[in-house]
Structure formats: structure tokens, C-alpha cells
Amino acid sequence: MKILLWILPVVFLAIILRIVELDKKKSNFVVTADTNISKNSQLSKYVTQQEVENFAFRYWDIDFAEVKKNPKMEEFRQILKTKDTVRILNFMKDNNISVDEPLHKGVTALMYASFYDDESTMKELIKMGADIHKQDNHKISPMAYAMENNSTKAVKLLYENGVKFEEVTMMQTALGVLGWGEYVEFEPYYDENNMPHIKYRTFEEMHYHEKTYMAENFFRTLLRNNQLDILELVLQSGYKPYLYGYYLGGDISKYTNNLAEADKYYIERAYNTKGRRTFADPKIELELMRFYNSLYFPILQSPFPKPKIAVLRKYNVPIDEWNPSKEFLKKLYNRECYGAWRSQFSPRKNGETYYLRIQDRQTKFLYENCLDKNGTFEDIEEYIVFNQQMKILHKITASEERKFGYGNNRVDMNITSDEIKKLQSKYNNNLE
């Protein structure tokens, strides 16, 4: 199923697009991230300015992008990374650099200081009159840069000096960290008792040397990234996050608090008989689309859902205002809990003794939680916690199979031969 902006279109532009023929004379043109379509109207036949800007945004990295053809500003960029306030101010004075003079691509010293969480330098630049609301050529502000790098002191300082969180529409988010699996180390680690433990990557480990980015609503990015300190500050300010989003094309999505507005998009796709569906019933598919496009979705995509849900509840964010139906929650349970148990149930017989062929951690968890065909998830939060626990167990089970060999990763399930026999008879005779 196509899921809003998280399922991105194939990048149609490379760093430099190949030369295209635009007229009968076969004049050649090169399109780069800095191309201004308005200066060559012929190019508009092949690419729009918005597409060029999206491409530039995708590959822009404030931390690694060098200042081209300007050694002075490149040296200044390197000095800004040191966070040495005295040295920074002296360099500006000695080289007659004004406080809002961009180093390149509209990026100012304050933007660099905000990204690097350099509170001392920020305070001095603000005293000198730095524009705290300014945006660079990519339409990224100091606040957006601070959020992107989890620079909590910078976010607080900018807010205290008058920057409103409503000013931040989009921020960069790394394409390599959009799913739960990217937050987890490939292999769990094992303690002295050979017990497995999941290890999660830190924020710095997740984002270091990421080279491809996309624009996303900043609040959803904070949720996905587990940036709880900044989330708390944003919500304390009275900011009201958008509850729903829908996809407009390219890298562009729209966000709204109007469910009726969002439903126009969701309904069109839920009732489209030619599209791929998760559920046969379009009413249930519609609820699934609401869920996938709600604030719950970035929580589902990343670890530690409970603290994030708790902070949203604390500030009365109506994350389930769309009111998921009991039927929808039941369908989720049947698909991912009871249905998963039935898929794992694999009875075997040795003489008169019954046993399960698969007795790993996933099977044990499903046996303990998903035996009731008439069961359901009480709410979306319970489903998210269950879903993530299954992901953890899947990771551990796969690791144990690699470590000990398939079949040697059995756990004690406390299930008797008689119970296995009864369950098999019940399922075979459809007595559920």
C-alpha cells in the first residue's frame, strides 16, 4: 500500500542530470541543484523549479557541504564547527563579515551555531542583531537546523528570543532512519547467561554521515526520533500539532487538523478497487489509512512508544480523535495476533506425545497473548506496543537461529501434550 510521504518516489534527478536536447539545434543544458528554471524557460518543459529545489534539499547537508570558490568562508565554516566563540567573533571582525552575511547558499553563522548547539556563540550573534527568523536557500531556519541535530539548548534559546514553533513548517529528516529496523543494531548482544538484549542506536549514531534527506513535518520527525526534550518544549509553548497528513505527489505532503479534508484523500484510495489493500472491507481500509497518516504512525515506526504517547497525552493532543472502531481494532488483532499464532502453531506427534515443531520466543509470546480468537486490542496504543514487541522478538529469534543453529533456539513454553492435542482438534474441526 502506498503510504504518504514515507513511501517516496524514485529520485528522477541524479546530482547532475544528464544533458538534454531541448531544441532542433540540439543546444545542451546541464541541470544542477542550483539551477534557476526562470532564467531558461526552455528547461521548464522538462523540469520544474520545485523539482529542482526538492532535489537540492534532498542532498543538502549543512555539516559536510563545503563552501565552494571562497576560501575565506570555507575557513569560517571550519571555525564555526569548533564552537570557539572568541575565535569565531575575532574571525568575523578581522575579515569584516557582517552578522547575517551568508557563507553560502544563504546559510548564516547563526544557522551553523544553532545546528551545532553552540549556545555561547548564538547569544553573541543575537546580541549583534542576527536574524533569528531568517531562512537559507533551502528555506531552512536556525530553529529547523537546531531541531534536526537535536540541539536542545539552541531550540530553547531561539524560542526564548521570540521564534515561534509555528514558523517551522518542514525540516530535514534522514531517509536512512525512517523505519524501526534502522534504530536497532543488526545483532542483539548476549549477557553471561546467553540471554539476548536489543541494543538501540543513539541519535548521533543514527544520523551521522546520512547523505540523503527529505522534507517532513517537524513535529512528526521529533516523534520518530524520540526527541522528547524538544517535544516537551514545543508542547509547553502551546503548539498544536497537525493530526493528519496526506500525499500530494513528489516529496510533497499536506498536513491538517480537519479529518474531513484528509478523508477526501483517504476515501478515494480506500475505495479504489484497483489498488492494493490490506483489508477487503473498504471501511476498515479507510481506518487503516487514517492510522497510517496520524501522529501514531511515526510512533509506530520507532522504538519506545510509551514515553512519546505519554507526553502527547500530558498536553491533551487528541491523537485518536478519528476514533478507531472496535471492528478495526479487532481486525488488527485477528491479523497480527491471533492470525500470527495460527501461522506459528505447528503440532507434531511422537508416539502418543504431541509437541510443537516451533518453540522459539515469538511462538511463546503469541501463545501467551494471542490464543483467543474473540480477543481484540483495547486501543491503538496497545496495538503499537504489541507490534513493537513482536519486532523485537523477531530480531532476537533470527539472531538466536544464527548463533545456535535452527532448532537449537527452543524456549520453555509450558504447553502440555494434551493442550496441543486439544488445540489441534479444535482448529481442525473449526470449533473456534
Side-chain angles (χ1 to χ4, degrees), residues 141-303:
S141 66
M143 179 67 87
Y145 276 123
M147 288 179 172
E148 177 189 338
N149 206 35
N150 202 33
S151 300
T152 54
K153 295 192 297 293
V155 169
K156 189 171 186 292
L157 181 62
L158 289 166
Y159 173 67
E160 289 173 345
N161 278 273
V163 177
K164 304 296 184 185
F165 292 111
E166 287 79 4
E167 294 177 36
V168 183
T169 53
M170 294 290 173
M171 62 183 277
Q172 281 186 305
T173 184
L175 285 176
V177 296
L178 290 180
W180 183 90
E182 282 77 39
Y183 289 82
V184 183
E185 292 287 354
F186 178 71
E187 288 290 348
Y189 68 92
Y190 291 82
D191 61 24
E192 63 276 6
N193 299 314
N194 255 341
M195 289 296 294
H197 301 272
I198 287 287
K199 181 181 178 183
Y200 295 98
R201 297 188 180 104
T202 64
F203 182 91
E204 291 73 20
E205 289 171 334
M206 290 284 291
H207 293 81
Y208 188 66
H209 279 173
E210 280 294 335
K211 293 301 182 185
T212 311
Y213 301 86
M214 59 170 281
E216 189 184 25
N217 175 271
F218 83 89
F219 194 85
R220 292 175 180 239
T221 300
L222 296 176
L223 275 175
R224 182 182 294 106
N225 286 344
N226 298 306
Q227 293 173 262
L228 292 180
D229 290 340
I230 297 179
L231 273 171
E232 185 95 20
L233 182 59
V234 169
L235 291 170
Q236 279 177 356
S237 77
Y239 177 83
K240 302 298 182 185
Y242 292 116
L243 303 178
Y244 313 103
Y246 55 96
Y247 180 65
L248 297 178
D251 286 355
I252 309 300
S253 291
K254 184 173 181 181
Y255 298 91
T256 180
N257 284 319
N258 186 331
L259 181 58
E261 175 189 338
D263 265 352
K264 292 178 182 179
Y265 171 89
Y266 305 152
I267 289 170
E268 179 183 344
R269 281 145 187 81
Y271 284 81
N272 182 0
T273 56
K274 295 181 181 179
R276 283 185 63 188
R277 287 182 179 171
T278 302
F279 296 107
D281 185 344
K283 296 192 299 297
I284 302 300
E285 189 72 15
L286 173 60
E287 290 198 66
L288 184 68
M289 294 199 69
R290 289 173 175 171
F291 169 54
Y292 278 161
N293 295 293
S294 72
L295 288 177
Y296 276 124
F297 194 70
I299 296 174
L300 178 71
Q301 288 180 300
S302 56

